[in-house]
Amino acid sequence: MRVKFFKPYITGNEIKYIKKIIDNNSVISGDGEYTKKVHKFLQKRYKVSKVLLTTSGTTALEMAIRLLNLKPDDEIIAPSFTFSSTVNAILMVHGLRVKFAEIQGGTLNIDPEDIKRKITNKTKAIIVVHYAGVACDMDKIMNIAKARGLKIIEDAAQAFESQYKGKYLGTIGNYGCFSFHETKNIVCGEGGAIFINSNNKKDFEKAEIIREKGTNRSKFFRREINKYEWVDIGSSCLPSDILAAFLLAQLESIDKIQKLRFQVYNYYRNKLLSFQRKGVVKLPLIPSYAKHNAHMFYILFDSETKRDYIMGQMRKVGIDAFFHYIPLHSSPQGRSLGYKKNDLPLTENVSKRLLRLPIYAGLKKKEYEYVISNLTKFLTYLDKNNV
Ligand SMILES: *Cc1c(COP(=O)(O)O)cnc(C)c1O
């Protein structure tokens, strides 16, 4: 048997909605009928003042950074245990600097205590990443931000539908950034969204301008002005309405998609608990403040050798099992910023010990049972023998 790591779940309505656009000769560029429907859906479900679809999670992050209006040499604190986009977004704006912070051992999310240590008088913002869709310690982080007047961007690319103390992730900081890349829970191939969590009209208008090539075209389309012009620096961050149509179909099936993911997640968790009790592996920690979204299932070993052994065994029997982030600070680009090995020991250590298992909506029962029957065999061996 071959078990793939991820597969997008297709509801069947994606093609119907796209066909409607073509049959009706509707707008296929950005901000057409389906984009408006998606904006409405997201604003209502997550109670956000303003949502804008973007071409990716990466673009959503880049928009959020631009919205901060920072100056050269200003600093933003971010974790190193994340995808490159989190930090690229900072460095894409001329002169901005990143300060990497350490993670916490339990959730693998940014450590509020290390944020405090990394703050200088140049610090203006913090990007938090809700790793695996599990919430960061938001009360602590928001309190630090409030005390020092810092802005918060939530990289919620993996955290669609997740919560912190009953609040949806992406709605707590100043901006929430989401991804609908095909590896995420809800997908449209390549896509994303930015949540603007203030009622500041200026902020929202600026976001629209950045998203529309630096023009006030969005206002023009709403007939608020009678011509549009170049008013600021911007890019093209709005997706085709064809992708929005695909996305709407996905969003309308969100409860079903989530239910299917949780079936796999809970099966893995129950079957692996005994190995956690014996100390063979550690399973993801979900703090009591967090409601996760079954985005990822990872296990932690106590050494890189053991992780690599299990990863190799799994691949031999046709199961995709992957490690995750190579820490950004110790990557070539991170080193070019002056970071070195051992700068963030826990981040580096966790990166070597983590293994992710296949999880997606539509992963068949016989497939996830195959994952566990093999994995338990290998873990039992690991428990009895030295590798
Ligand atoms: C996926 C992801 C991104 C980037 O999203 P894209 O839509 O692929 O640009 C950013 N940050 C994190 C944490 C991600 O998991």
Side-chain angles (χ1 to χ4, degrees), residues 325-362:
Y325 303 127
I326 306 294
L328 295 182
H329 75 278
S330 62
S331 305
Q333 179 58 26
R335 292 201 307 270
S336 82
L337 301 172
Y339 282 90
K340 305 179 300 300
K341 222 172 152 206
N342 297 325
D343 280 348
L344 299 167
L346 184 58
T347 296
E348 291 167 40
N349 182 267
V350 158
S351 161
K352 293 176 187 157
R353 299 188 285 111
L354 185 144
L355 187 69
R356 293 176 296 154
L357 303 180
I359 184 166
Y360 56 85

mmCIF file of all heavy atoms in Angstrom, residues 325-362:
data_model
loop_
_atom_site.group_PDB
_atom_site.id
_atom_site.type_symbol
_atom_site.label_atom_id
_atom_site.label_comp_id
_atom_site.label_asym_id
_atom_site.label_seq_id
_atom_site.Cartn_x
_atom_site.Cartn_y
_atom_site.Cartn_z
ATOM 1 N N TYR A 325 10.278 21.932 9.592
ATOM 2 C CA TYR A 325 11.150 23.062 9.318
ATOM 3 C C TYR A 325 12.611 22.842 9.678
ATOM 4 O O TYR A 325 12.929 22.416 10.784
ATOM 5 C CB TYR A 325 10.676 24.288 10.095
ATOM 6 C CG TYR A 325 9.254 24.676 9.802
ATOM 7 C CD1 TYR A 325 8.331 24.843 10.827
ATOM 8 C CD2 TYR A 325 8.826 24.867 8.495
ATOM 9 C CE1 TYR A 325 7.029 25.200 10.565
ATOM 10 C CE2 TYR A 325 7.523 25.222 8.221
ATOM 11 C CZ TYR A 325 6.626 25.388 9.252
ATOM 12 O OH TYR A 325 5.335 25.735 8.985
ATOM 13 N N ILE A 326 13.482 23.197 8.749
ATOM 14 C CA ILE A 326 14.880 23.428 9.076
ATOM 15 C C ILE A 326 14.853 24.860 9.612
ATOM 16 O O ILE A 326 14.392 25.773 8.919
ATOM 17 C CB ILE A 326 15.772 23.386 7.804
ATOM 18 C CG1 ILE A 326 15.555 22.083 7.021
ATOM 19 C CG2 ILE A 326 17.233 23.633 8.167
ATOM 20 C CD1 ILE A 326 16.007 20.826 7.723
ATOM 21 N N PRO A 327 15.317 25.078 10.856
ATOM 22 C CA PRO A 327 15.172 26.418 11.454
ATOM 23 C C PRO A 327 15.663 27.517 10.507
ATOM 24 O O PRO A 327 16.698 27.371 9.869
ATOM 25 C CB PRO A 327 16.050 26.342 12.699
ATOM 26 C CG PRO A 327 16.066 24.894 13.056
ATOM 27 C CD PRO A 327 15.984 24.138 11.750
ATOM 28 N N LEU A 328 14.919 28.605 10.448
ATOM 29 C CA LEU A 328 15.279 29.675 9.511
ATOM 30 C C LEU A 328 16.618 30.315 9.881
ATOM 31 O O LEU A 328 17.410 30.644 9.006
ATOM 32 C CB LEU A 328 14.183 30.748 9.478
ATOM 33 C CG LEU A 328 12.822 30.299 8.945
ATOM 34 C CD1 LEU A 328 11.857 31.481 8.932
ATOM 35 C CD2 LEU A 328 12.943 29.693 7.552
ATOM 36 N N HIS A 329 16.866 30.477 11.186
ATOM 37 C CA HIS A 329 18.092 31.201 11.574
ATOM 38 C C HIS A 329 19.351 30.434 11.193
ATOM 39 O O HIS A 329 20.396 31.035 10.969
ATOM 40 C CB HIS A 329 18.085 31.514 13.077
ATOM 41 C CG HIS A 329 18.364 30.324 13.927
ATOM 42 N ND1 HIS A 329 17.401 29.413 14.269
ATOM 43 C CD2 HIS A 329 19.517 29.865 14.483
ATOM 44 C CE1 HIS A 329 17.945 28.460 15.012
ATOM 45 N NE2 HIS A 329 19.223 28.710 15.160
ATOM 46 N N SER A 330 19.254 29.091 11.106
ATOM 47 C CA SER A 330 20.451 28.310 10.778
ATOM 48 C C SER A 330 20.472 27.904 9.301
ATOM 49 O O SER A 330 21.339 27.155 8.867
ATOM 50 C CB SER A 330 20.544 27.080 11.687
ATOM 51 O OG SER A 330 19.426 26.244 11.470
ATOM 52 N N SER A 331 19.501 28.393 8.513
ATOM 53 C CA SER A 331 19.488 28.162 7.067
ATOM 54 C C SER A 331 20.441 29.148 6.405
ATOM 55 O O SER A 331 20.816 30.150 7.027
ATOM 56 C CB SER A 331 18.083 28.405 6.517
ATOM 57 O OG SER A 331 17.143 27.619 7.196
ATOM 58 N N PRO A 332 20.812 28.901 5.148
ATOM 59 C CA PRO A 332 21.756 29.834 4.502
ATOM 60 C C PRO A 332 21.324 31.302 4.600
ATOM 61 O O PRO A 332 22.140 32.163 4.937
ATOM 62 C CB PRO A 332 21.763 29.341 3.043
ATOM 63 C CG PRO A 332 21.469 27.885 3.144
ATOM 64 C CD PRO A 332 20.514 27.728 4.311
ATOM 65 N N GLN A 333 20.050 31.578 4.343
ATOM 66 C CA GLN A 333 19.607 32.981 4.393
ATOM 67 C C GLN A 333 19.665 33.537 5.815
ATOM 68 O O GLN A 333 20.037 34.695 6.026
ATOM 69 C CB GLN A 333 18.185 33.113 3.798
ATOM 70 C CG GLN A 333 17.590 34.510 3.815
ATOM 71 C CD GLN A 333 18.419 35.541 3.067
ATOM 72 O OE1 GLN A 333 19.167 35.230 2.148
ATOM 73 N NE2 GLN A 333 18.307 36.790 3.496
ATOM 74 N N GLY A 334 19.325 32.696 6.796
ATOM 75 C CA GLY A 334 19.389 33.133 8.193
ATOM 76 C C GLY A 334 20.827 33.408 8.619
ATOM 77 O O GLY A 334 21.104 34.392 9.315
ATOM 78 N N ARG A 335 21.748 32.551 8.154
ATOM 79 C CA ARG A 335 23.164 32.741 8.507
ATOM 80 C C ARG A 335 23.700 34.022 7.872
ATOM 81 O O ARG A 335 24.539 34.705 8.458
ATOM 82 C CB ARG A 335 23.990 31.527 8.080
ATOM 83 C CG ARG A 335 23.664 30.263 8.900
ATOM 84 C CD ARG A 335 24.802 29.247 8.839
ATOM 85 N NE ARG A 335 25.183 28.930 7.473
ATOM 86 C CZ ARG A 335 24.656 27.937 6.739
ATOM 87 N NH1 ARG A 335 23.732 27.153 7.257
ATOM 88 N NH2 ARG A 335 25.072 27.722 5.503
ATOM 89 N N SER A 336 23.161 34.362 6.701
ATOM 90 C CA SER A 336 23.622 35.599 6.045
ATOM 91 C C SER A 336 23.188 36.833 6.835
ATOM 92 O O SER A 336 23.708 37.926 6.632
ATOM 93 C CB SER A 336 23.111 35.676 4.605
ATOM 94 O OG SER A 336 21.784 36.162 4.585
ATOM 95 N N LEU A 337 22.226 36.649 7.748
ATOM 96 C CA LEU A 337 21.811 37.770 8.605
ATOM 97 C C LEU A 337 22.652 37.819 9.882
ATOM 98 O O LEU A 337 22.420 38.659 10.747
ATOM 99 C CB LEU A 337 20.331 37.630 8.991
ATOM 100 C CG LEU A 337 19.304 37.583 7.850
ATOM 101 C CD1 LEU A 337 17.921 37.245 8.385
ATOM 102 C CD2 LEU A 337 19.276 38.906 7.091
ATOM 103 N N GLY A 338 23.567 36.874 10.012
ATOM 104 C CA GLY A 338 24.457 36.880 11.178
ATOM 105 C C GLY A 338 24.104 35.845 12.232
ATOM 106 O O GLY A 338 24.753 35.783 13.279
ATOM 107 N N TYR A 339 23.080 35.050 11.985
ATOM 108 C CA TYR A 339 22.725 34.022 12.965
ATOM 109 C C TYR A 339 23.639 32.812 12.820
ATOM 110 O O TYR A 339 24.173 32.539 11.745
ATOM 111 C CB TYR A 339 21.258 33.611 12.790
ATOM 112 C CG TYR A 339 20.332 34.635 13.392
ATOM 113 C CD1 TYR A 339 19.860 35.702 12.631
ATOM 114 C CD2 TYR A 339 19.970 34.550 14.724
ATOM 115 C CE1 TYR A 339 19.039 36.659 13.185
ATOM 116 C CE2 TYR A 339 19.145 35.502 15.300
ATOM 117 C CZ TYR A 339 18.677 36.555 14.527
ATOM 118 O OH TYR A 339 17.873 37.489 15.089
ATOM 119 N N LYS A 340 23.806 32.087 13.939
ATOM 120 C CA LYS A 340 24.691 30.933 13.949
ATOM 121 C C LYS A 340 23.975 29.725 14.566
ATOM 122 O O LYS A 340 22.961 29.881 15.255
ATOM 123 C CB LYS A 340 25.945 31.200 14.793
ATOM 124 C CG LYS A 340 26.727 32.412 14.417
ATOM 125 C CD LYS A 340 27.943 32.619 15.319
ATOM 126 C CE LYS A 340 27.643 32.807 16.814
ATOM 127 N NZ LYS A 340 26.791 33.949 17.177
ATOM 128 N N LYS A 341 24.582 28.575 14.338
ATOM 129 C CA LYS A 341 24.141 27.362 14.996
ATOM 130 C C LYS A 341 24.222 27.590 16.506
ATOM 131 O O LYS A 341 25.097 28.314 16.966
ATOM 132 C CB LYS A 341 25.096 26.222 14.598
ATOM 133 C CG LYS A 341 24.360 24.951 14.315
ATOM 134 C CD LYS A 341 25.254 23.892 13.737
ATOM 135 C CE LYS A 341 24.646 22.575 14.143
ATOM 136 N NZ LYS A 341 25.538 21.480 14.227
ATOM 137 N N ASN A 342 23.302 26.986 17.242
ATOM 138 C CA ASN A 342 23.225 27.115 18.707
ATOM 139 C C ASN A 342 22.656 28.451 19.197
ATOM 140 O O ASN A 342 22.587 28.672 20.400
ATOM 141 C CB ASN A 342 24.580 26.866 19.389
ATOM 142 C CG ASN A 342 25.063 25.455 19.154
ATOM 143 O OD1 ASN A 342 24.232 24.526 19.091
ATOM 144 N ND2 ASN A 342 26.352 25.272 18.977
ATOM 145 N N ASP A 343 22.264 29.327 18.290
ATOM 146 C CA ASP A 343 21.619 30.568 18.733
ATOM 147 C C ASP A 343 20.255 30.279 19.360
ATOM 148 O O ASP A 343 19.820 30.996 20.266
ATOM 149 C CB ASP A 343 21.446 31.548 17.560
ATOM 150 C CG ASP A 343 22.737 32.310 17.257
ATOM 151 O OD1 ASP A 343 23.665 32.243 18.091
ATOM 152 O OD2 ASP A 343 22.812 32.960 16.198
ATOM 153 N N LEU A 344 19.553 29.265 18.831
ATOM 154 C CA LEU A 344 18.241 28.892 19.364
ATOM 155 C C LEU A 344 18.229 27.377 19.552
ATOM 156 O O LEU A 344 17.704 26.629 18.711
ATOM 157 C CB LEU A 344 17.128 29.332 18.406
ATOM 158 C CG LEU A 344 17.025 30.835 18.126
ATOM 159 C CD1 LEU A 344 16.119 31.103 16.930
ATOM 160 C CD2 LEU A 344 16.506 31.598 19.347
ATOM 161 N N PRO A 345 18.812 26.921 20.657
ATOM 162 C CA PRO A 345 19.050 25.485 20.832
ATOM 163 C C PRO A 345 17.780 24.620 20.799
ATOM 164 O O PRO A 345 17.792 23.559 20.184
ATOM 165 C CB PRO A 345 19.714 25.388 22.213
ATOM 166 C CG PRO A 345 20.039 26.772 22.624
ATOM 167 C CD PRO A 345 19.329 27.733 21.752
ATOM 168 N N LEU A 346 16.705 25.076 21.417
ATOM 169 C CA LEU A 346 15.504 24.241 21.449
ATOM 170 C C LEU A 346 14.917 24.092 20.038
ATOM 171 O O LEU A 346 14.538 22.993 19.613
ATOM 172 C CB LEU A 346 14.465 24.828 22.411
ATOM 173 C CG LEU A 346 13.202 23.976 22.584
ATOM 174 C CD1 LEU A 346 13.542 22.580 23.095
ATOM 175 C CD2 LEU A 346 12.208 24.655 23.513
ATOM 176 N N THR A 347 14.850 25.200 19.303
ATOM 177 C CA THR A 347 14.351 25.164 17.923
ATOM 178 C C THR A 347 15.159 24.155 17.099
ATOM 179 O O THR A 347 14.589 23.324 16.380
ATOM 180 C CB THR A 347 14.462 26.571 17.292
ATOM 181 O OG1 THR A 347 13.599 27.457 18.011
ATOM 182 C CG2 THR A 347 14.079 26.566 15.832
ATOM 183 N N GLU A 348 16.480 24.216 17.228
ATOM 184 C CA GLU A 348 17.345 23.327 16.442
ATOM 185 C C GLU A 348 17.146 21.888 16.855
ATOM 186 O O GLU A 348 17.082 20.977 16.022
ATOM 187 C CB GLU A 348 18.821 23.731 16.636
ATOM 188 C CG GLU A 348 19.132 25.073 15.994
ATOM 189 C CD GLU A 348 20.473 25.657 16.427
ATOM 190 O OE1 GLU A 348 21.468 24.896 16.551
ATOM 191 O OE2 GLU A 348 20.538 26.882 16.640
ATOM 192 N N ASN A 349 16.994 21.670 18.152
ATOM 193 C CA ASN A 349 16.847 20.328 18.688
ATOM 194 C C ASN A 349 15.516 19.691 18.271
ATOM 195 O O ASN A 349 15.474 18.552 17.809
ATOM 196 C CB ASN A 349 16.986 20.425 20.211
ATOM 197 C CG ASN A 349 16.896 19.084 20.850
ATOM 198 O OD1 ASN A 349 15.828 18.669 21.252
ATOM 199 N ND2 ASN A 349 18.015 18.376 20.899
ATOM 200 N N VAL A 350 14.427 20.445 18.393
ATOM 201 C CA VAL A 350 13.097 19.931 18.039
ATOM 202 C C VAL A 350 13.045 19.572 16.558
ATOM 203 O O VAL A 350 12.469 18.557 16.164
ATOM 204 C CB VAL A 350 12.013 20.989 18.394
ATOM 205 C CG1 VAL A 350 10.740 20.767 17.602
ATOM 206 C CG2 VAL A 350 11.724 20.961 19.893
ATOM 207 N N SER A 351 13.656 20.419 15.750
ATOM 208 C CA SER A 351 13.641 20.208 14.303
ATOM 209 C C SER A 351 14.213 18.836 13.915
ATOM 210 O O SER A 351 13.790 18.234 12.937
ATOM 211 C CB SER A 351 14.446 21.340 13.660
ATOM 212 O OG SER A 351 14.850 20.997 12.373
ATOM 213 N N LYS A 352 15.146 18.349 14.718
ATOM 214 C CA LYS A 352 15.799 17.060 14.420
ATOM 215 C C LYS A 352 15.000 15.870 14.915
ATOM 216 O O LYS A 352 15.294 14.728 14.566
ATOM 217 C CB LYS A 352 17.185 17.014 15.091
ATOM 218 C CG LYS A 352 18.168 17.996 14.526
ATOM 219 C CD LYS A 352 19.465 17.922 15.322
ATOM 220 C CE LYS A 352 20.406 19.024 14.872
ATOM 221 N NZ LYS A 352 21.378 19.339 15.932
ATOM 222 N N ARG A 353 14.024 16.119 15.794
ATOM 223 C CA ARG A 353 13.344 15.000 16.462
ATOM 224 C C ARG A 353 11.885 14.832 16.042
ATOM 225 O O ARG A 353 11.181 13.980 16.549
ATOM 226 C CB ARG A 353 13.413 15.206 17.985
ATOM 227 C CG ARG A 353 14.826 15.236 18.525
ATOM 228 C CD ARG A 353 14.867 15.236 20.022
ATOM 229 N NE ARG A 353 14.506 16.506 20.616
ATOM 230 C CZ ARG A 353 13.390 16.732 21.320
ATOM 231 N NH1 ARG A 353 12.529 15.750 21.539
ATOM 232 N NH2 ARG A 353 13.142 17.922 21.827
ATOM 233 N N LEU A 354 11.436 15.693 15.116
ATOM 234 C CA LEU A 354 10.014 15.718 14.796
ATOM 235 C C LEU A 354 9.707 14.939 13.509
ATOM 236 O O LEU A 354 10.443 15.015 12.533
ATOM 237 C CB LEU A 354 9.586 17.183 14.660
ATOM 238 C CG LEU A 354 8.111 17.496 14.452
ATOM 239 C CD1 LEU A 354 7.753 18.783 15.203
ATOM 240 C CD2 LEU A 354 7.747 17.658 12.993
ATOM 241 N N LEU A 355 8.595 14.204 13.548
ATOM 242 C CA LEU A 355 8.150 13.446 12.376
ATOM 243 C C LEU A 355 6.649 13.647 12.188
ATOM 244 O O LEU A 355 5.875 13.522 13.138
ATOM 245 C CB LEU A 355 8.448 11.956 12.577
ATOM 246 C CG LEU A 355 8.188 11.067 11.360
ATOM 247 C CD1 LEU A 355 9.192 11.355 10.249
ATOM 248 C CD2 LEU A 355 8.272 9.592 11.758
ATOM 249 N N ARG A 356 6.250 13.966 10.964
ATOM 250 C CA ARG A 356 4.823 14.186 10.679
ATOM 251 C C ARG A 356 4.234 12.993 9.948
ATOM 252 O O ARG A 356 4.880 12.411 9.078
ATOM 253 C CB ARG A 356 4.650 15.445 9.815
ATOM 254 C CG ARG A 356 5.022 16.722 10.539
ATOM 255 C CD ARG A 356 4.925 17.926 9.604
ATOM 256 N NE ARG A 356 5.876 17.853 8.519
ATOM 257 C CZ ARG A 356 5.715 18.449 7.337
ATOM 258 N NH1 ARG A 356 4.622 19.149 7.085
ATOM 259 N NH2 ARG A 356 6.638 18.354 6.405
ATOM 260 N N LEU A 357 2.999 12.652 10.302
ATOM 261 C CA LEU A 357 2.302 11.519 9.687
ATOM 262 C C LEU A 357 1.287 12.027 8.660
ATOM 263 O O LEU A 357 0.826 13.167 8.758
ATOM 264 C CB LEU A 357 1.567 10.715 10.765
ATOM 265 C CG LEU A 357 2.416 10.160 11.915
ATOM 266 C CD1 LEU A 357 1.524 9.397 12.894
ATOM 267 C CD2 LEU A 357 3.527 9.261 11.380
ATOM 268 N N PRO A 358 0.905 11.188 7.710
ATOM 269 C CA PRO A 358 -0.103 11.613 6.716
ATOM 270 C C PRO A 358 -1.416 11.960 7.406
ATOM 271 O O PRO A 358 -1.872 11.216 8.277
ATOM 272 C CB PRO A 358 -0.308 10.362 5.853
ATOM 273 C CG PRO A 358 0.871 9.501 6.097
ATOM 274 C CD PRO A 358 1.334 9.799 7.502
ATOM 275 N N ILE A 359 -1.981 13.085 7.048
ATOM 276 C CA ILE A 359 -3.318 13.447 7.559
ATOM 277 C C ILE A 359 -4.007 14.345 6.541
ATOM 278 O O ILE A 359 -3.439 15.339 6.089
ATOM 279 C CB ILE A 359 -3.268 14.109 8.960
ATOM 280 C CG1 ILE A 359 -4.691 14.374 9.479
ATOM 281 C CG2 ILE A 359 -2.441 15.384 8.984
ATOM 282 C CD1 ILE A 359 -4.764 14.711 10.971
ATOM 283 N N TYR A 360 -5.196 13.934 6.131
ATOM 284 C CA TYR A 360 -6.025 14.792 5.284
ATOM 285 C C TYR A 360 -7.464 14.288 5.293
ATOM 286 O O TYR A 360 -7.715 13.129 5.654
ATOM 287 C CB TYR A 360 -5.478 14.878 3.851
ATOM 288 C CG TYR A 360 -5.282 13.574 3.111
ATOM 289 C CD1 TYR A 360 -6.327 12.969 2.410
ATOM 290 C CD2 TYR A 360 -4.032 12.953 3.095
ATOM 291 C CE1 TYR A 360 -6.131 11.789 1.712
ATOM 292 C CE2 TYR A 360 -3.825 11.763 2.400
ATOM 293 C CZ TYR A 360 -4.879 11.184 1.711
ATOM 294 O OH TYR A 360 -4.682 10.012 1.032
ATOM 295 N N ALA A 361 -8.386 15.173 4.927
ATOM 296 C CA ALA A 361 -9.790 14.791 4.829
ATOM 297 C C ALA A 361 -9.899 13.826 3.657
ATOM 298 O O ALA A 361 -9.463 14.151 2.556
ATOM 299 C CB ALA A 361 -10.660 16.016 4.593
ATOM 300 N N GLY A 362 -10.421 12.643 3.924
ATOM 301 C CA GLY A 362 -10.549 11.660 2.845
ATOM 302 C C GLY A 362 -9.493 10.566 2.913
ATOM 303 O O GLY A 362 -9.513 9.644 2.103
#
